[in-house]
Amino acid sequence: MKTILIAGATGFIGRNLVEHYCKDYKVIAINHKRSINFNHPNVSWKFCDLRNPKHLKNIFEGVDIVMHFAATTTGAKDIVSKPYIHVTDNVVMSSLLMREAYHQGVKHFIFPSCTIMYQKSETALKESDFDPREELQSFYYGAGHTKVYLEKMCEFYSRLSDIKYTAFRHSNIYGPHDKYDLEKSHVTGATITKVMTSKDGKVNVWGPGEEKRDLLYIEDLIDFIDKALKKQKNPYELYNVGLGQGIKIKDLVRKVIINSGKDLEMVHDLSKPTLPTSLFLDCSKARKELGWSPKHSLNEGIKKTLNWYKDNFDL
């Protein structure tokens, strides 16, 4: 049985990865600040501050695969008002983790990038559509360049060893264990919380809601990682991973309202911060090379997420 180290195991994506991979792998689950109530005979929980090189040396024993999902992440409010919080810690954690993985000779390193280095677009974007000569959008300047740097670090280390590196630019992920508090949640989690907790028959939407997002259900992301582990041939690859469709925020809110079964009015708050960008992904490279494509439509993903929310939150 191979061993997977999952950094960020108490976070949204990390928690889902732990629950999925513990069925067939030994899992070393790394937590830093939070503890969670999930026990399984194949899971070993370990505390580690990934910014501390001394801590890292204690977690790599017998590790075959690293899944690096530890990061400082928040929503639109912090991206606009405190963009620097997504830069320093994320660079330090990622750089040290990649270096230790190299020293320990692991077999495969999974690194989630993002899509914020892309320009807004009304057509699906391929991996090659990122042009480093173009100025990034101002609110993504720091975090966007950080992600591009870390993608290149993956490629750099792949040239030094036999370790495979999979970097992927994923769209907005949603599903069970997402962040649902309105201070730190992303668009889908925030929308679900607003709809499910509404007491006055209204749902407040930040801004006009015209910007588009590509939204991918968590099980489809995990399916991509499965296929990358089994089918990636080259030492380094970069993939787009998304639904491949863009939906306006206001249309997402309507979908969540309809699937919730509630009768709510949508109200726009134009005073709140928004991220005025629209994009969706062309994922044809992942389909051609790995045989991956999403299995869940947006409606199906929203329904499954709402069912999970109802089972896990007091309404």
Side-chain angles (χ1 to χ4, degrees):
M1 185 178 284
K2 291 184 178 180
T3 299
I4 298 177
L5 185 151
I6 299 178
T10 59
F12 161 41
I13 296 177
R15 171 66 183 272
N16 281 278
L17 291 172
V18 171
E19 292 186 5
H20 175 78
Y21 283 106
C22 70
K23 303 167 189 173
D24 300 304
Y25 293 82
K26 292 180 181 178
V27 173
I28 298 174
I30 303 303
N31 71 319
H32 179 211
K33 294 181 179 179
R34 292 185 295 170
S35 60
I36 64 173
N37 184 24
F38 179 78
N39 296 305
H40 189 280
N42 288 340
V43 178
S44 300
W45 288 94
K46 293 189 177 182
F47 170 84
C48 180
D49 183 345
L50 296 176
R51 298 166 298 182
N52 187 331
K54 295 180 180 178
H55 283 201
L56 287 174
K57 294 185 181 298
N58 300 323
I59 63 174
F60 267 88
E61 184 177 354
V63 171
D64 300 289
I65 300 164
V66 175
M67 298 184 180
H68 176 29
F69 286 83
T72 300
T73 61
T74 49
K77 181 179 178 180
D78 283 341
I79 291 173
V80 172
S81 63
K82 297 184 289 184
Y84 53 85
I85 67 175
H86 293 142
V87 177
T88 305
D89 281 355
N90 289 343
V91 170
V92 172
M93 287 189 289
S94 301
S95 299
L96 292 176
L97 198 59
M98 288 183 200
R99 185 178 70 180
E100 193 62 30
Y102 168 72
H103 286 315
Q104 298 290 340
V106 305
K107 302 296 188 295
H108 205 137
F109 194 105
I110 302 292
F111 174 72
S113 185
C114 61
T115 61
I116 59 177
M117 69 286 293
Y118 288 129
Q119 301 294 325
K120 59 185 178 181
S121 175
E122 293 299 323
T123 59
L125 295 171
K126 295 183 177 182
E127 295 84 353
S128 56
D129 286 325
F130 168 64
D131 186 346
R133 296 170 299 180
E134 293 183 322
E135 181 81 2
L136 298 192
Q137 298 173 82
S138 59
F139 40 84
Y140 287 147
Y141 186 88
H145 282 294
T146 297
K147 287 292 188 179
V148 172
Y149 165 75
L150 292 172
E151 291 172 1
K152 289 300 182 183
M153 287 291 287
C154 288
E155 185 174 13
F156 166 69
Y157 275 111
S158 76
R159 298 182 180 195
L160 299 181
S161 66
D162 295 327
I163 303 173
K164 283 186 179 178
Y165 287 80
T166 305
F168 56 94
R169 295 171 179 166
H170 63 81
S171 63
N172 296 74
I173 311 300
Y174 67 96
H177 305 299
D178 199 351
K179 292 179 180 177
Y180 291 99
D181 67 283
L182 296 180
E183 285 295 314
K184 296 185 177 180
S185 56
H186 295 290
V187 60
T188 311
T191 300
I192 288 173
T193 296
K194 290 177 182 180
V195 168
M196 299 306 293
T197 60
S198 175
K199 304 298 183 184
D200 60 0
K202 298 178 180 180
V203 177
N204 187 285
V205 179
W206 288 9
E210 292 292 330
E211 62 272 30
K212 292 180 181 179
R213 296 290 184 269
D214 184 322
L215 306 171
L216 184 70
Y217 186 58
I218 182 65
E219 289 181 15
D220 289 318
L221 177 67
I222 293 174
D223 184 51
F224 163 81
I225 295 172
D226 280 342
K227 287 181 166 56
L229 289 174
K230 296 171 183 175
K231 297 184 178 182
Q232 180 176 317
K233 295 180 180 179
N234 294 323
Y236 170 78
E237 288 291 358
L238 173 65
Y239 294 100
N240 279 345
V241 182
L243 186 62
Q245 303 169 14
I247 183 172
K248 291 183 178 180
I249 300 301
K250 63 181 183 182
D251 294 332
L252 168 65
V253 176
R254 290 193 186 100
K255 277 185 179 290
V256 174
I257 292 173
I258 292 170
N259 282 289
S260 73
K262 302 179 77 171
D263 183 15
L264 301 173
E265 176 190 0
M266 186 163 43
V267 179
H268 295 272
D269 185 348
L270 301 182
S271 69
K272 289 292 192 294
T274 60
L275 302 175
T277 183
S278 296
L279 63 82
F280 58 104
L281 299 176
D282 181 324
C283 305
S284 56
K285 179 181 177 182
R287 183 175 65 252
K288 292 175 183 176
E289 295 186 6
L290 304 177
W292 176 84
S293 59
K295 298 176 181 177
H296 295 80
S297 68
L298 185 55
N299 265 330
E300 291 168 336
I302 288 173
K303 287 178 182 178
K304 292 179 77 167
T305 305
L306 283 170
N307 288 336
W308 180 88
Y309 187 98
K310 292 173 184 176
D311 289 340
N312 288 271
F313 286 87
D314 294 328
L315 301 176

